[in-house]
Amino acid sequence: MNSDPVQINSNDGNSVTEQVAQTNLQDAASPNPENNVTATENPVLDNQTQAQMAQQIESLKAQLEDRNNQSIRIAADFENYRKRTIKEKEDLEQQVKRNTINELLPIVDNFERARAHIKTQTEGELTIHKSYQSVYKQLVDSLKRLGVSPMRPEGQEFDPNLHEAVMREPTDEVPEGTVLEELVRGYYLGDRVLRHAMVKVAAAKEDTPPEEENQSSPASI
Protein backbone atom coordinates (compact mmCIF):
# COMPACT_ATOMS: atom_id res chain seq x y z
CA MET A 1 0.00 0.00 0.00
CA ASN A 2 1.45 3.23 -1.12
CA SER A 3 1.26 6.22 1.26
CA ASP A 4 1.17 9.52 -0.49
CA PRO A 5 2.41 12.65 1.36
CA VAL A 6 -0.26 15.10 2.51
CA GLN A 7 -0.10 18.39 0.76
CA ILE A 8 -1.15 21.49 2.63
CA ASN A 9 -2.65 24.20 0.63
CA SER A 10 -1.17 27.57 1.52
CA ASN A 11 -4.49 29.17 0.95
CA ASP A 12 -6.04 27.04 3.70
CA GLY A 13 -3.30 28.17 6.16
CA ASN A 14 -4.04 31.76 5.50
CA SER A 15 -7.72 31.19 6.10
CA VAL A 16 -7.03 29.62 9.48
CA THR A 17 -4.84 32.55 10.48
CA GLU A 18 -7.48 35.01 9.49
CA GLN A 19 -10.14 33.12 11.50
CA VAL A 20 -7.97 33.17 14.66
CA ALA A 21 -7.30 36.88 14.32
CA GLN A 22 -11.01 37.61 13.91
CA THR A 23 -11.80 35.56 17.00
CA ASN A 24 -9.29 37.52 19.09
CA LEU A 25 -10.70 40.80 17.87
CA GLN A 26 -14.22 39.70 18.76
CA ASP A 27 -13.09 38.65 22.24
CA ALA A 28 -11.37 41.98 22.80
CA ALA A 29 -14.39 43.90 21.55
CA SER A 30 -16.94 41.88 23.57
CA PRO A 31 -17.84 43.49 26.98
CA ASN A 32 -16.33 41.91 30.16
CA PRO A 33 -18.81 41.82 33.10
CA GLU A 34 -16.01 41.91 35.71
CA ASN A 35 -14.51 45.02 34.18
CA ASN A 36 -17.95 46.67 34.17
CA VAL A 37 -18.46 45.92 37.88
CA THR A 38 -15.09 47.43 38.81
CA ALA A 39 -15.66 50.53 36.71
CA THR A 40 -19.09 50.94 38.25
CA GLU A 41 -17.94 50.46 41.88
CA ASN A 42 -14.92 52.83 41.84
CA PRO A 43 -16.95 56.08 41.80
CA VAL A 44 -19.04 54.81 44.73
CA LEU A 45 -15.94 53.99 46.77
CA ASP A 46 -14.43 57.38 45.96
CA ASN A 47 -17.56 59.20 47.18
CA GLN A 48 -17.64 57.24 50.42
CA THR A 49 -13.96 57.90 51.03
CA GLN A 50 -14.40 61.60 50.42
CA ALA A 51 -17.34 61.73 52.80
CA GLN A 52 -15.37 59.95 55.52
CA MET A 53 -12.38 62.25 55.01
CA ALA A 54 -14.62 65.31 55.16
CA GLN A 55 -16.17 64.03 58.39
CA GLN A 56 -12.72 63.41 59.87
CA ILE A 57 -11.59 66.90 58.85
CA GLU A 58 -14.62 68.48 60.54
CA SER A 59 -13.98 66.42 63.66
CA LEU A 60 -10.34 67.52 63.73
CA LYS A 61 -11.38 71.14 63.25
CA ALA A 62 -13.78 70.89 66.19
CA GLN A 63 -11.08 69.32 68.38
CA LEU A 64 -8.58 71.99 67.35
CA GLU A 65 -11.05 74.77 68.15
CA ASP A 66 -11.79 73.19 71.53
CA ARG A 67 -8.06 72.95 72.32
CA ASN A 68 -7.58 76.58 71.28
CA ASN A 69 -10.43 77.69 73.53
CA GLN A 70 -8.95 75.72 76.43
CA SER A 71 -5.55 77.30 75.81
CA ILE A 72 -7.09 80.77 75.77
CA ARG A 73 -8.96 80.12 79.03
CA ILE A 74 -5.85 78.73 80.70
CA ALA A 75 -3.81 81.74 79.56
CA ALA A 76 -6.49 84.14 80.83
CA ASP A 77 -6.73 82.34 84.18
CA PHE A 78 -2.97 82.43 84.55
CA GLU A 79 -2.84 86.15 83.73
CA ASN A 80 -5.56 86.87 86.29
CA TYR A 81 -3.69 84.76 88.85
CA ARG A 82 -0.45 86.62 88.12
CA LYS A 83 -2.11 90.03 88.50
CA ARG A 84 -3.91 88.96 91.68
CA THR A 85 -0.67 87.61 93.15
CA ILE A 86 1.19 90.83 92.37
CA LYS A 87 -1.59 92.92 93.92
CA GLU A 88 -1.71 90.75 97.04
CA LYS A 89 2.05 91.03 97.38
CA GLU A 90 1.93 94.81 97.00
CA ASP A 91 -0.93 95.08 99.51
CA LEU A 92 0.97 92.92 101.99
CA GLU A 93 4.14 95.00 101.61
CA GLN A 94 2.10 98.19 102.01
CA GLN A 95 0.39 96.85 105.12
CA VAL A 96 3.70 95.81 106.69
CA LYS A 97 5.11 99.26 105.94
CA ARG A 98 2.05 100.97 107.46
CA ASN A 99 2.22 98.88 110.62
CA THR A 100 5.93 99.53 111.04
CA ILE A 101 5.60 103.28 110.53
CA ASN A 102 2.64 103.46 112.89
CA GLU A 103 4.88 101.95 115.59
CA LEU A 104 7.40 104.76 115.01
CA LEU A 105 4.97 107.68 114.98
CA PRO A 106 4.59 107.86 118.81
CA ILE A 107 8.37 108.33 119.02
CA VAL A 108 8.08 111.26 116.61
CA ASP A 109 5.25 112.67 118.75
CA ASN A 110 7.43 112.52 121.87
CA PHE A 111 10.26 114.32 120.11
CA GLU A 112 7.88 117.08 119.02
CA ARG A 113 6.43 117.47 122.52
CA ALA A 114 9.90 117.68 123.98
CA ARG A 115 10.92 120.33 121.49
CA ALA A 116 7.80 122.37 122.21
CA HIS A 117 7.98 122.24 126.03
CA ILE A 118 11.64 122.06 126.97
CA LYS A 119 13.30 125.43 127.40
CA THR A 120 17.05 125.23 127.58
CA GLN A 121 18.72 127.54 130.08
CA THR A 122 22.33 126.41 130.14
CA GLU A 123 24.91 125.55 127.54
CA GLY A 124 24.83 121.89 128.58
CA GLU A 125 21.04 121.70 128.22
CA LEU A 126 21.32 123.30 124.78
CA THR A 127 23.88 120.69 123.74
CA ILE A 128 21.63 117.86 124.88
CA HIS A 129 18.68 119.49 123.13
CA LYS A 130 20.58 119.71 119.84
CA SER A 131 21.77 116.11 120.07
CA TYR A 132 18.32 114.55 120.40
CA GLN A 133 16.89 116.98 117.85
CA SER A 134 19.44 115.71 115.35
CA VAL A 135 18.14 112.20 116.03
CA TYR A 136 14.60 113.49 115.52
CA LYS A 137 15.55 115.07 112.20
CA GLN A 138 17.21 111.87 111.04
CA LEU A 139 14.06 109.90 111.90
CA VAL A 140 11.80 112.38 110.08
CA ASP A 141 14.03 112.29 106.98
CA SER A 142 13.85 108.49 106.97
CA LEU A 143 10.05 108.62 107.12
CA LYS A 144 9.97 111.09 104.23
CA ARG A 145 12.00 108.72 102.09
CA LEU A 146 9.41 106.03 102.81
CA GLY A 147 6.68 108.32 101.47
CA VAL A 148 5.38 109.69 104.78
CA SER A 149 4.21 113.31 104.82
CA PRO A 150 2.51 115.32 107.60
CA MET A 151 -0.94 116.88 107.39
CA ARG A 152 -1.43 120.64 107.75
CA PRO A 153 -5.09 120.90 108.80
CA GLU A 154 -5.10 124.29 110.58
CA GLY A 155 -7.56 126.65 108.92
CA GLN A 156 -9.08 123.94 106.75
CA GLU A 157 -12.63 122.66 106.90
CA PHE A 158 -13.06 119.63 109.10
CA ASP A 159 -12.98 116.43 107.05
CA PRO A 160 -13.91 113.18 108.86
CA ASN A 161 -11.88 111.24 106.30
CA LEU A 162 -8.73 113.06 107.45
CA HIS A 163 -9.42 114.45 110.91
CA GLU A 164 -10.68 113.25 114.25
CA ALA A 165 -12.38 115.96 116.32
CA VAL A 166 -11.49 115.62 119.99
CA MET A 167 -12.39 119.19 121.06
CA ARG A 168 -14.84 121.89 120.05
CA GLU A 169 -14.41 125.56 120.80
CA PRO A 170 -17.21 128.10 120.35
CA THR A 171 -16.03 131.10 118.33
CA ASP A 172 -17.31 133.66 115.87
CA GLU A 173 -13.91 134.45 114.36
CA VAL A 174 -13.97 131.58 111.85
CA PRO A 175 -16.80 129.59 110.24
CA GLU A 176 -18.20 126.67 112.14
CA GLY A 177 -16.40 123.42 111.35
CA THR A 178 -13.01 125.02 110.76
CA VAL A 179 -10.00 123.26 112.27
CA LEU A 180 -8.54 125.59 114.89
CA GLU A 181 -5.62 123.51 116.11
CA GLU A 182 -3.92 120.21 115.43
CA LEU A 183 -3.46 118.42 118.74
CA VAL A 184 -1.87 115.25 117.39
CA ARG A 185 -0.31 115.36 113.97
CA GLY A 186 -1.79 113.29 111.19
CA TYR A 187 0.20 111.71 108.39
CA TYR A 188 -0.15 110.48 104.82
CA LEU A 189 1.60 107.47 103.34
CA GLY A 190 1.75 108.31 99.69
CA ASP A 191 -1.76 109.47 98.81
CA ARG A 192 -3.47 107.45 101.55
CA VAL A 193 -4.16 108.38 105.15
CA LEU A 194 -1.67 106.80 107.51
CA ARG A 195 -3.01 108.36 110.71
CA HIS A 196 -5.89 110.77 111.26
CA ALA A 197 -5.08 114.12 112.79
CA MET A 198 -6.62 114.83 116.18
CA VAL A 199 -7.92 118.38 115.99
CA LYS A 200 -9.86 121.08 117.76
CA VAL A 201 -12.81 122.33 115.69
CA ALA A 202 -14.63 125.65 115.74
CA ALA A 203 -18.23 125.57 116.96
CA ALA A 204 -20.94 128.20 116.66
CA LYS A 205 -20.78 130.71 119.48
CA GLU A 206 -23.97 130.86 121.48
CA ASP A 207 -25.48 134.26 122.24
CA THR A 208 -25.35 135.22 125.96
CA PRO A 209 -28.92 135.55 127.23
CA PRO A 210 -29.71 138.98 128.85
CA GLU A 211 -29.64 139.04 132.64
CA GLU A 212 -33.05 139.12 134.23
CA GLU A 213 -33.73 142.28 136.15
CA ASN A 214 -34.84 142.39 139.76
CA GLN A 215 -33.88 138.75 140.32
CA SER A 216 -33.10 139.55 143.96
CA SER A 217 -36.11 141.80 144.64
CA PRO A 218 -38.45 140.41 147.31
CA ALA A 219 -41.78 139.16 146.22
CA SER A 220 -44.71 141.43 147.04
CA ILE A 221 -47.17 140.28 149.62
Side-chain angles (χ1 to χ4, degrees), residues 141-184:
D141 291 340
S142 299
L143 294 176
K144 287 181 180 179
R145 286 192 295 270
L146 293 173
V148 180
S149 58
M151 296 182 183
R152 306 294 181 187
E154 290 90 347
Q156 298 180 2
E157 184 179 359
F158 175 78
D159 185 350
N161 296 318
L162 305 176
H163 313 137
E164 180 180 352
V166 294
M167 293 182 63
R168 292 175 63 87
E169 180 177 315
T171 180
D172 55 2
E173 296 180 357
V174 295
E176 183 181 4
T178 302
V179 176
L180 298 176
E181 182 181 356
E182 184 183 42
L183 304 177
V184 178

Side-chain angles (χ1 to χ4, degrees), residues 97-98 100-102 104-105 108 139-151 185-192 194-195:
K97 182 188 292 186
R98 289 173 61 89
T100 303
I101 295 174
N102 275 322
L104 296 175
L105 291 182
V108 177
L139 178 58
V140 171
D141 291 340
S142 299
L143 294 176
K144 287 181 180 179
R145 286 192 295 270
L146 293 173
V148 180
S149 58
M151 296 182 183
R185 191 178 300 278
Y187 291 93
Y188 296 103
L189 179 58
D191 57 351
R192 300 178 63 181
L194 177 62
R195 187 178 74 178

Side-chain angles (χ1 to χ4, degrees), residues 10 48 51 65 76 119 123 126 140 161 171 180 189 192 196 199 215:
S10 60
Q48 290 179 352
E65 184 177 0
K119 304 299 181 182
E123 189 68 23
L126 182 60
V140 171
N161 296 318
T171 180
L180 298 176
L189 179 58
R192 300 178 63 181
H196 290 73
V199 297
Q215 290 182 352

Side-chain angles (χ1 to χ4, degrees), residues 209-216:
E211 296 181 358
E212 297 180 0
E213 296 181 357
N214 300 326
Q215 290 182 352
S216 60

